[in-house]
Amino acid sequence: MTTMSWEDLVTSALLGTDRRPLPPMARTRPGGAGATAPRGPRQGGATAEGTGALDAGAEDTEDGHAGAVDARTEGTGKEGTRRQGTGSGSTGQPLDAPLALLGAAAVHTVRRRAGLVPAVAAPLPPPAPGDARPPLPEAAARRLAQLLADRPSAGGGGGRRGAAPDLTELLPQWLAAADAYGYRAPAAALPALLDAARSRTDLRPRALAFGGPRALWLAGFNPEWRFALRGAPGGTALPAPEDARGVRRLWEEGLFAERVALLEAVRAHDPAAALELLASTWAKERAEDRLMFLDSLRTGLSPADEEFLEGALSDRSRNVRSAAAELLSALPGSAYAERMAARAASCVGLDHTAGRPTVAVEAPHECDAAMQRDGVVPQPPAGRGKRSWWLGQLVEATPLAVWGERLGGRTPEEVVALPVADDWRDELHAAWCRAAVRQRDAAWSRVLLGPASAPPSAGPGAASSAALLSTLPDGERAEWVAAFVASHGLSEAFQLLGVCTVPWSGALGRAVVDALDIAREAGGYPWSFSGVMGLAERCLDPGEADRLESMTAAPDEGGDSAPGAGGYWAEAFQRLVATLRLRAAMHEELAGRAG
């Protein structure tokens, strides 16, 4: 019998031209040769076994011959002529072409699967790495599960949110405390921990540090957790900074986020090696990538970076030029700083013709090509004059030490106290504030901040004050903000409180609580202080809870009080007290002192 190919078999079944003789197996019973298969329901000649094979996908057959049907499509009509498109099975009944095709497919499927060679098993994943850190105390593990399971309510919004603590805001503090104790994350909590870090970038550093090597191992199995492999210390996507070959390969072949993380890691380990790595591909990088890479040079910035940054001043991207100029201005001894100092000194000087020494200002009349190469942006923002815009950029890029000598050998206090002619004072002082922040000069920051008791309108403004405070030591910063809150209340203190270290010092915490109590007694609604309340929940020392207990009761509302304001204040303080006590309990649990 001539063997037909599968394609020919299907084609002939569809066209009804298959004239092969009936296979012997289709005419016999499974139990013996020559036994005739019993007739069943009209199935185009298919046996009962063959019908079952079709229904089951030709996978489970009892005798190995299921599905072997008479696929013949020849028959004899009344006139003795051959008819096409029909066939006859073992029952002698005609077989339609579609059923013949299904029967042939069943035969072929069984034959093909019977000859399959078992597939090679996939390799097992590598085992999870070990983590030698001690496990969490049982109570702390339960608390972690509670914090990870908490989600903001679907209808959450402004106004009252109940007296219960906001657990999502406590998770960052819990992770920081757990890391400080040196615990390892429970294996069962790793998926929820990675999910939380995926949705909240502020959690990622702490969550990955707490998760440790096992979190990184697990992240390799889920594309949604790929962020964990980029930039995480010890992450599998980052080679060790000492691995020159691995560093080079990832730098040339890695994704952008991986390359940024790699450059930061190498920079922290060896600033010179990171600079060499960046210089090797600098000319081929995209402008937006060059800008991000430059930011990594802030770590370990030193005179060794000056030559590279000077070259970046000629970059074709204005943003890259500005970033390079800002970094160079943080190097007081650089040639760039000297050029900017010479330009600024030509604009700002001491006028002795007045009755007392006065700072005279003559702003630039043009922004020439050399100034633009040094990062001076020629076009001011809307509502800003060009000359004042250019002057501000020159002064903020000038080393602050220049002004003592330029203005008569005076100290920073004496320089800032000098009167400034022609209403240039605000512009000049604002530029000095930016320079103090850029150069991290605490002495100038103290002077520009002024006394905390001075009216806020006389100072540099909330945003500039917060930036200046960031250059001061933690204790001094908290002391200044506490004095500011005690003198002026909380209406302009939110940004200042945000730069203070957590937990707040005792003096700062007491100042904030006293200011909240005064606001409560005034009878207004607490909503205008909701930002400060949120900060207090996260930043107040938990030991303040007992002192706040008396404020949780609704006060008697006087005639000047807003309707219902007392109830709202009581609820806000109840939430504050509950949160502080929960934070205290968290630390007890982490210390192993809770049941």
Side-chain angles (χ1 to χ4, degrees):
M1 181 178 65
T2 303
T3 303
M4 299 181 67
S5 68
W6 169 241
E7 292 80 2
D8 293 339
L9 177 62
V10 172
T11 303
S12 65
L14 286 173
L15 297 179
T17 58
D18 186 3
R19 295 178 173 80
R20 295 176 302 158
L22 184 66
M25 68 181 69
R27 300 193 186 101
T28 62
R29 291 181 181 271
T36 303
R39 296 187 181 186
R42 183 180 179 88
Q43 296 292 336
T47 64
E49 292 86 356
T51 303
L54 290 177
D55 291 339
E59 291 195 45
D60 298 323
T61 60
E62 296 182 0
D63 59 358
H65 301 301
V69 300
D70 184 0
R72 294 179 303 163
T73 56
E74 67 179 30
T76 304
K78 291 182 179 181
E79 303 298 329
T81 59
R82 188 178 303 278
R83 294 183 299 169
Q84 295 185 353
T86 63
S88 60
S90 60
T91 61
Q93 296 179 356
L95 181 66
D96 294 335
L99 293 178
L101 173 62
L102 291 176
V107 172
H108 180 76
T109 300
V110 173
R111 182 185 300 119
R112 184 184 61 187
R113 292 183 177 179
L116 286 178
V117 177
V120 178
L124 293 174
D131 192 337
R133 294 177 296 176
L136 277 173
E138 184 178 347
R142 290 195 300 268
R143 180 71 66 190
L144 173 62
Q146 179 189 19
L147 295 174
L148 290 173
D150 186 73
R151 295 288 184 272
S153 60
R160 296 176 79 167
R161 57 172 184 160
D166 187 349
L167 300 184
T168 59
E169 293 302 322
L170 294 179
L171 183 56
Q173 286 195 18
W174 190 97
L175 289 172
D179 285 343
Y181 278 102
Y183 293 124
R184 70 168 181 261
L190 290 177
L193 186 66
L194 288 168
D195 278 339
R198 179 174 63 89
S199 60
R200 290 182 58 179
T201 55
D202 63 309
L203 289 178
R204 290 183 182 179
R206 293 289 188 187
L208 294 179
F210 179 57
R214 291 180 176 176
L216 300 179
W217 171 84
L218 186 62
F221 298 99
N222 187 345
E224 293 187 348
W225 298 334
R226 192 174 183 181
F227 71 89
L229 304 179
R230 299 175 181 172
T236 56
L238 289 184
E242 304 87 8
D243 180 7
R245 180 178 299 180
V247 166
R248 172 59 62 179
R249 181 168 57 252
L250 184 60
W251 179 251
E252 294 177 351
E253 302 174 3
L255 300 173
F256 172 68
E258 294 169 335
R259 299 179 72 213
V260 170
L262 176 68
L263 187 63
E264 291 174 349
V266 176
R267 181 71 174 180
H269 175 76
D270 186 348
L275 185 64
E276 181 181 354
L277 190 67
L278 179 58
S280 67
T281 59
W282 179 258
K284 299 183 292 185
E285 305 290 353
R286 300 182 304 169
E288 55 268 32
D289 295 352
R290 295 197 300 275
L291 185 62
M292 290 293 293
F293 291 145
L294 269 186
D295 194 60
S296 67
L297 299 186
R298 297 181 189 277
T299 301
L301 184 67
S302 72
D305 302 315
E306 181 180 356
E307 182 179 355
F308 177 83
L309 293 173
E310 276 285 344
L313 289 175
S314 301
D315 195 272
R316 55 188 179 273
S317 166
R318 187 184 71 181
N319 290 334
V320 173
R321 294 196 301 270
S322 297
E326 181 180 347
L327 289 171
L328 282 168
S329 67
L331 296 173
S334 65
Y336 169 86
E338 292 178 1
R339 295 194 299 270
M340 298 301 278
R343 293 183 180 115
S346 68
C347 298
V348 180
L350 205 57
D351 181 7
H352 293 281
T353 61
R356 58 173 180 164
T358 303
V359 177
V361 176
E362 181 67 25
H365 290 274
E366 65 172 343
C367 184
D368 57 29
M371 289 171 62
Q372 294 183 43
R373 181 190 178 276
D374 281 344
V376 177
V377 179
Q379 191 62 34
R384 185 82 178 272
K386 287 186 176 181
R387 296 182 65 198
S388 64
W389 173 245
W390 299 334
L391 174 69
Q393 294 180 79
L394 295 180
V395 173
E396 72 178 280
T398 297
L400 288 166
V402 167
W403 300 112
E405 180 181 352
R406 174 67 178 161
L407 299 177
R410 289 175 166 82
T411 65
E413 292 85 351
E414 294 169 335
V415 169
V416 172
L418 286 171
V420 182
D422 301 326
D423 296 327
W424 282 103
R425 181 185 183 279
D426 289 346
E427 186 68 46
L428 184 61
H429 281 220
W432 280 338
C433 287
R434 296 193 296 272
V437 174
R438 183 181 293 188
Q439 298 170 36
R440 312 304 297 173
D441 193 313
W444 272 82
S445 293
R446 292 187 190 96
V447 174
L448 291 165
L449 276 169
S453 58
S457 58
S464 294
S465 295
L468 292 168
L469 282 167
S470 68
T471 69
L472 302 182
D474 293 345
E476 183 180 356
R477 190 185 316 166
E479 182 180 350
W480 193 95
V481 177
F484 182 93
V485 170
S487 300
H488 311 294
L490 296 169
S491 58
E492 298 186 49
F494 181 76
Q495 287 181 286
L496 307 181
L497 291 168
V499 299
C500 294
T501 55
V502 178
W504 289 337
S505 68
L508 178 56
R510 287 189 293 274
V512 171
V513 170
D514 290 342
L516 287 172
D517 193 22
I518 292 172
R520 180 179 70 107
E521 293 293 337
Y525 290 111
W527 300 329
S528 58
F529 299 97
S530 59
V532 175
M533 274 288 192
L535 282 176
E537 291 173 15
R538 299 188 296 273
C539 304
L540 266 179
D541 189 323
E544 294 287 329
D546 291 340
R547 195 164 75 92
L548 291 167
E549 185 67 43
S550 61
M551 302 179 189
T552 59
D556 296 331
E557 296 182 2
D560 297 332
S561 299
Y568 283 106
W569 275 108
E571 189 177 75
F573 277 109
Q574 289 167 13
R575 182 173 59 251
L576 176 56
V577 170
T579 303
L580 294 178
R581 287 181 172 156
L582 177 57
R583 286 175 52 205
M586 284 166 34
H587 284 279
E588 291 289 320
E589 292 162 357
L590 287 167
R593 294 192 293 266

